[in-house]
Amino acid sequence: VQLQASGGGFVQAGGSLRLSCAASESDFQFDGSAWYRQAPGQQRVLVASITSGGVTNYADSVKGRFTISRENARRTLNLQMRSLQADDTAVYYCACNSRRHRQIGGYAYWGQGTLVTVSS
């Protein structure tokens, strides 16, 4: 299974972007999923997560601005980002488990990353 992330790009501060992550298998079923980001020179950090039951959790820095969602029929995980700030500049990675394959304490599948650049 491959996760293909897309939607990154260049945006001015205050703008919006929508990231998507599509699973390659036609019968893939998302379980717990998340978006991480890694800014230049920094460690990868959790941005938002969603459980199999749809419960969401956000890093304090993005609460009220980012929304994680999942479209099971389209095998897609999304991250809607609004009111973007320069500090949001990073490579964003999607991660997930599937209903067939769960990694305890982490995620079995990772996307390749998509770059988001926010100019101030």
Side-chain angles (χ1 to χ4, degrees), residues 13 20 23-24 26 34-35 37-39 45-46 48 56-57 69 73 75 91-92 95 100 102 104 106-107 111:
S20 293
S24 60
S26 60
W35 286 94
R37 69 185 181 187
Q38 186 168 17
V45 296
L46 179 66
T56 58
N57 185 52
S69 63
R75 311 184 311 278
V91 177
Y92 285 72
R100 293 180 186 171
R102 298 184 179 96
I104 303 300
Y107 296 102

Side-chain angles (χ1 to χ4, degrees), residues 18-21 35 67-69 71 76-80:
R18 182 180 176 87
L19 306 184
S20 293
C21 180
W35 286 94
T67 302
I68 187 171
S69 63
E71 298 178 71
T76 301
L77 178 71
N78 303 308
L79 185 69
Q80 178 68 51

Side-chain angles (χ1 to χ4, degrees), residues 2-3 6 13-14 16-17 20-21 26 30 32 36 39 53 55 74 85 88 94 96-97 100:
Q2 292 185 338
L3 298 181
S6 61
S16 299
L17 283 175
S20 293
C21 180
S26 60
F30 283 99
Y36 287 75
V55 177
R74 298 179 62 184
Q85 306 164 358
D88 296 318
C94 56
C96 72
N97 289 316
R100 293 180 186 171

Side-chain angles (χ1 to χ4, degrees), residues 50-69:
I50 182 168
T51 67
S52 58
V55 177
T56 58
N57 185 52
Y58 297 93
D60 288 343
S61 59
V62 307
K63 280 181 182 176
R65 299 189 298 121
F66 290 13
T67 302
I68 187 171
S69 63

